[in-house]
């Protein structure tokens, strides 16, 4: 039986929808990008607590997804938010190139269809 004097409880789905409605798009996009970056780094063997783990197929998919997200979202993010994410993407692309025993052709590496070919910085 239900107590007629009980205070009705809020619908958890309605509360979640209200909560997400208050979060700016730039934060949601940035959070998604950071999750993709973190997962790619782990699959490249860059995680301090899991350095022996490497799955380059997974890393490629994650880097491709990150590059596509940033390509699509950069105009909405603005330079202030997009620049550090693009720097992180480039670092992951270079780490992938370094970790891969079979090198992709320039422009064919993960995410390069969105970013163009990625090369290591020239050394002096």
């Amino acid at each position: 039986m239900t107590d007629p004097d009980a205070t009705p409880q809020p619908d958890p789905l309605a509360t979640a929808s209200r909560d997400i409605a208050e979060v700016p798009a730039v934060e949601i996009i940035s959070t998604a990008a950071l999750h993709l970056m973190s997962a790619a780094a782990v699959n490249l063997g860059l995680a301090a607590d899991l350095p022996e783990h490497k799955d380059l197929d997974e890393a490629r998919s994650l880097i491709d997804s990150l590059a596509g997200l940033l390509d699509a979202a950069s105009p909405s993010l603005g330079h202030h938010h997009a620049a550090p994410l693009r720097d992180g993407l480039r670092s992951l692309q270079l780490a992938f190139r370094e970790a891969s025993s079979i090198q992709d052709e320039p422009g064919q590496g993960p995410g390069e269809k969105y970013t163009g070919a990625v090369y290591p910085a020239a050394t002096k």
Side-chain angles (χ1 to χ4, degrees):
M1 282 197 155
T2 307
D3 181 3
D5 296 327
T7 307
Q9 296 297 314
D11 177 12
L13 293 177
T15 302
S17 294
R18 271 192 301 279
D19 290 346
I20 201 76
E22 295 174 9
V23 180
V26 68
E27 287 186 36
I28 293 172
I29 295 166
S30 295
T31 300
L34 290 174
H35 283 290
L36 290 167
M37 291 173 100
S38 296
V42 167
N43 282 295
L44 287 170
L46 301 176
D49 58 338
L50 204 58
E52 70 285 347
H53 178 78
K54 262 193 193 159
D55 189 334
L56 296 183
D57 287 336
E58 288 290 307
R60 179 183 293 276
S61 295
L62 293 161
I63 294 168
D64 274 337
S65 298
L66 174 62
L69 173 64
L70 294 181
D71 184 54
S74 285
S76 300
L77 293 175
H79 179 74
H80 177 73
H81 293 283
L85 294 172
R86 280 202 281 313
D87 289 345
L89 169 60
R90 184 176 189 283
S91 295
L92 290 169
Q93 289 171 311
L94 290 171
F96 183 92
R97 187 169 291 282
E98 188 175 303
S100 182
S101 60
I102 301 172
Q103 295 298 306
D104 292 313
E105 292 295 320
Q108 301 301 309
E112 290 183 358
K113 66 183 171 186
Y114 300 106
T115 64
V118 175
Y119 301 99
T123 56
K124 293 182 179 182

